[in-house]
Amino acid sequence: MRDRLEQLAHRLIEVDALLAEPEIAGDMDRYRKIMRERAELEPVVTVFNAFLSTEGDIEVAQEMVSDPDMRAMAEEELKLGKEKLEQLESELQVLLLPRDPDDGRSVFLEIRAGTGGDESALFAGDLLRMYTRFAENNNWRVELMSASESEIGGYKEVIARVDGDGVYGRLKFESGAHRVQRVPETETQGRIHTSACTVAVLPEADAQSDIVINPSDLRIDTFRASGAGGQHINKTDSAVRVTHLPTGLVVECQDDRSQHRNKDKALQVLAARLKDKQQQEQHDKEAAQRKSLVGTGDRSERIRTYNYPQGRVTDHRINLTLYKLGAIMDGDMDELTNSLLAEHQAEQLAALGQD
């Protein structure tokens, strides 16, 4: 492990030197790639440096033990140093776990209303607001790519791009079925209704290398954009529907007044869906060998329940219940996402131990 850590510390020095070169600053794609690597290296090297410093403190304390006047203080320093060393070693084990290469990427967040009709569409709107607030808390940027609005508010389907460092790593466990239990505003008897939405978190594909789309595999249709209730947004055929013929995947974008920009957005979403399809097929193969508690990414799996009468949110994968529904719906999702990540890391450590 130490050899690997020393290599990473040396690589961080190389990366910092690269970032100081003028030609790197002029190539934004390469600059972003190097910055992403630096963001991955820095936390590991910081903890490794603390580990080395603690080792040095322990050596000094061991030398002091032989001095009768200093023995008591030295023994206390040794005890604290060894405890700290164990803690740092555990941190380094987690930091050195195999990383998902997509963790640093931006994502396309897709939310679809499911069972529950209008109430499900309203909940889709609530989920989009929750993720948007969470993104704001993390200084990420949210761009609406496509939206099919419901007659009474909310969305039948909405796609947003969440742009920032480490977005996929924080949101990747959100894919699945989200269930809500509450009394709808239209309910006169005060009965609790249950409805659901599905969420898909797709890492953004790298335009250069991840997914190559053959133009001959695409059918591109244009049509007039319309809003909720069939009201025309504009009088030109600016909306775009892209169909990927080999897979049957269909993406529509109509939120921009420019047909060209709608086409670009649709192709970005299509690339992310194709990348996701490839990953799902790979995950299915791996799942046959080893079942993961939080990382299956099965879109049909019920992962979480939001119970409004009781003010609770329950994540069924890790049996976590939090009585802070209001705060979570306002974007305070750190406890949820951190617990899911910790469980995933514990699974990885256990798997490494078995191997």
Side-chain angles (χ1 to χ4, degrees):
M1 184 169 84
R2 184 179 287 266
D3 287 346
R4 173 72 177 141
L5 288 164
E6 287 173 350
Q7 287 171 6
L8 294 176
H10 183 66
R11 177 58 185 165
L12 182 59
I13 294 168
E14 290 178 346
V15 165
D16 284 337
L18 280 171
L19 290 170
E21 295 179 6
E23 58 266 30
I24 298 293
D27 184 344
M28 284 310 296
D29 284 340
R30 195 176 172 202
Y31 178 79
R32 274 194 291 266
K33 188 176 179 182
I34 294 172
M35 281 300 293
R36 192 183 299 164
E37 182 183 1
R38 192 188 190 287
E40 293 173 2
L41 287 169
E42 188 178 30
V44 186
V45 176
T46 298
V47 177
F48 181 47
N49 287 337
F51 182 88
L52 294 175
S53 176
T54 304
E55 275 190 336
D57 293 342
I58 288 172
E59 286 179 15
V60 172
Q62 283 173 333
E63 291 171 3
M64 289 164 55
V65 167
S66 57
D67 185 337
D69 296 332
M70 305 292 285
R71 182 175 298 155
M73 186 177 76
E75 286 176 348
E76 179 64 19
E77 290 288 327
L78 273 174
K79 179 174 174 290
L80 293 172
K82 287 175 180 176
E83 287 172 1
K84 186 177 179 183
L85 207 63
E86 283 182 18
Q87 178 198 334
L88 291 168
E89 190 170 0
S90 298
E91 285 183 42
L92 286 169
Q93 282 182 333
V94 170
L95 288 167
L96 286 177
L97 284 171
R99 286 183 61 84
D100 185 330
D102 291 326
D103 275 354
R105 291 182 185 268
S106 300
V107 306
F108 291 103
L109 174 70
E110 302 187 355
I111 305 171
R112 291 183 181 82
T115 55
D118 289 340
E119 175 62 14
S120 177
L122 289 172
F123 183 52
D126 293 337
L127 287 175
L128 178 63
R129 179 178 176 275
M130 176 183 79
Y131 290 122
T132 300
R133 290 287 182 88
F134 183 58
E136 289 169 357
N137 293 343
N138 286 279
N139 297 314
W140 300 333
R141 192 169 68 90
V142 179
E143 176 190 4
L144 204 62
M145 302 293 285
S146 173
S148 173
E149 296 177 14
S150 165
E151 299 284 343
I152 66 164
Y155 300 96
K156 297 172 187 174
E157 176 184 286
V158 61
I159 303 172
R161 179 174 180 265
V162 186
D163 178 38
D165 290 330
V167 179
Y168 185 67
R170 296 292 302 280
L171 289 180
K172 63 183 176 181
F173 301 122
E174 293 301 302
S175 291
H178 294 240
R179 186 177 68 169
V180 62
Q181 295 171 325
R182 63 185 176 188
V183 180
E185 291 179 16
T186 54
E187 170 57 59
T188 56
Q189 305 296 317
R191 290 172 298 191
I192 296 170
H193 287 227
T194 299
S195 55
C197 293
T198 56
V199 172
V201 179
L202 316 179
E204 189 172 43
D206 189 316
Q208 278 75 36
S209 58
D210 278 1
I211 296 294
V212 178
I213 299 175
N214 189 337
S216 65
D217 288 340
L218 300 177
R219 187 176 74 236
I220 299 175
D221 302 305
T222 58
F223 57 98
R224 190 164 294 178
S226 62
Q231 295 175 327
H232 294 305
I233 292 173
N234 55 42
K235 296 179 181 179
T236 60
D237 291 348
S238 64
V240 174
R241 180 186 300 113
V242 177
T243 304
H244 187 248
L245 300 173
T247 61
L249 289 171
V250 179
V251 181
E252 290 183 5
C253 279
Q254 61 173 1
D255 272 42
D256 205 295
R257 289 184 179 275
S258 161
Q259 184 186 112
H260 179 71
R261 283 194 293 270
N262 280 328
K263 181 184 173 184
D264 282 348
K265 287 182 177 182
L267 289 173
Q268 287 176 44
V269 174
L270 176 63
R273 286 189 185 172
L274 288 169
K275 177 181 172 72
D276 180 65
K277 189 172 186 296
Q278 287 182 1
Q279 290 179 329
Q280 288 296 315
E281 290 168 357
Q282 182 63 32
H283 288 167
D284 289 344
K285 290 178 185 175
E286 291 171 359
Q289 300 170 336
R290 178 181 290 142
K291 177 73 172 173
S292 172
L293 182 66
V294 297
T296 59
D298 186 346
R299 303 287 186 265
S300 63
E301 178 191 8
R302 188 191 72 186
I303 64 167
R304 194 175 296 147
T305 295
Y306 304 75
N307 186 297
Y308 276 71
Q310 296 178 17
R312 66 172 169 83
V313 175
T314 298
D315 196 290
H316 303 290
R317 295 163 294 179
I318 56 175
N319 294 319
L320 174 68
T321 296
L322 301 173
Y323 287 90
K324 48 186 282 188
L325 183 142
I328 288 169
M329 298 309 292
D330 272 336
D332 182 10
M333 295 178 63
D334 285 330
E335 192 169 355
L336 269 174
T337 58
N338 290 341
S339 297
L340 287 160
L341 181 59
E343 185 66 37
H344 178 60
Q345 290 172 341
E347 285 181 5
Q348 286 181 295
L349 286 168
L352 285 174
Q354 288 171 7
D355 292 343

